[in-house]
Amino acid sequence: MRFRINRSGRTSALPTPQDPAPAPAVHTVEPEVVEAPLSAREIGLIRASVAVVEPLAAEMTVYFYAILFTRYPEVRPMFPPGMDSQRGRLLRALLRIVDLVDDPESLVRFCGHLGRDHRKFGTLSAHFPAVGECLLASLARFAGPAWTEDIAAAWTKAYGAVAGVMISAAEQDEAARPAVWPATVVHRVSRGHGIAEITVRPHMPYEYAAGQYVSVETPWWPKHWRYYSPANAPREDGTLTFHVRAVAGGSVSSALVNRAVVGDVVHLGAPMGDMVLDAAVFNDLLCVAGGTGLAPIRALVEEVARRGGRHQVDLFLGARTGAELYGVDDMLRMAQRHHWLTIRGAISHEYIPGIRGSLPEVLAEYGPWYQHDVYLSGPAPMVVSASETLTLGGTMPDRIHHDPFETPVLSFP
């Protein structure tokens, strides 16, 4: 099924003195890197060692945390009781660092994100030597005979560079803002299909940009943080609205959907992510959303409206069935108010009179989109397939913006 609200024209609105000011974006300064911290030989040694331990990576992360908590028990309270998801995050972060080891600019950017994000856990600069010691011990154990003095030296140098960037980023962030913001639930409504719309009011000013995401901790699961994107551009009253789907086995999502009530207090981490309107080069925007991935896209559409409708926006909403086509009514009302917004829907697994298909199929039919900035949000397979379709159609990869997969802190292409 597809539906469409026609625009009255294609000309972007010109800015006027009455246009609202752009939303304040939170800018962070990354430490400068003049040259690659590692030589080509050292990079080769690190990647060769990772290739050796990667088949045993899951066991290695279990071992790492075991010796970390044994040697340094004072760090154990910083982590949740259940460590399964935390081990996965460590592994993904480690592999990402290895991917970026020959790209100093991206490595610094990534490690800066990590350093700022770790403030909410209570991480201190004094913890980094302990982590480095246990990490190298774990790598040495699982690499076995392949572990050499040269590899150990390369890893020591690499970890020192990573830790230095994380510490510097955390110290700069500490001077500018809190690590955690308490926020009271002020509104809650069920949207059906296991989705709740939850609005919170931070106790302190909370600056973010439309399209960013936020880590949330509930009082029922301390130390468990999950990432959600606000479904609104910054408001005068400072409130943020999250669209949360209860996930099977998801402690935080289930608590927010099934347990949270008005008056409960949650905690927010610092806003993160680069899927913001200021990243756009073109006046024409293509936005693609699947499921609750509509939240950051909705915030971006609100931001376009706040700026006086200076962009033309084509929005595609996708779902498997018509019942799962989430948030359609709200977006249709927005399209009726704003001539620059066009909405189309795609249903892939249910017959409904009209044209149907998957989001990538619909995008290919309505393209090309090579003169658009693209914003994608939703399930990772949808984002991947849509990115591939758009790239094949001529859209430059650096014009395709989306949140990182699985671990949102991994926020680069």
Side-chain angles (χ1 to χ4, degrees), residues 24 26 180-181 202-208 212-215 230 234 238 240 242 268-272:
V26 178
V180 174
W181 286 256
H203 298 183
M204 300 174 286
Y206 189 90
E207 292 188 352
Y208 72 100
Q212 289 190 302
Y213 54 85
V214 176
S215 53
L240 297 85
F242 299 102
L268 310 180
M272 303 183 72

Side-chain angles (χ1 to χ4, degrees), residues 63-84:
Y63 179 79
F64 163 78
Y65 281 110
I67 62 173
L68 177 65
F69 296 156
T70 299
R71 297 180 186 181
Y72 302 96
E74 64 274 16
V75 306
R76 183 62 182 92
M78 296 169 55
F79 296 89
M83 290 292 296
D84 289 347

Side-chain angles (χ1 to χ4, degrees), residues 137-214:
S138 302
L139 288 165
R141 176 184 177 88
F142 284 84
W147 189 259
T148 66
E149 290 185 4
D150 286 347
I151 290 177
W155 268 105
T156 300
K157 185 176 178 180
Y159 180 80
V162 166
V165 172
M166 290 180 65
I167 291 170
S168 177
E171 289 175 346
Q172 292 179 19
D173 198 59
E174 184 178 9
R177 58 186 179 180
V180 174
W181 286 256
T184 299
V185 177
V186 295
H187 185 70
R188 182 196 177 283
V189 61
S190 175
R191 289 288 197 134
H193 301 285
I195 299 174
E197 181 180 294
I198 298 172
T199 300
V200 303
R201 178 176 287 113
H203 298 183
M204 300 174 286
Y206 189 90
E207 292 188 352
Y208 72 100
Q212 289 190 302
Y213 54 85
V214 176

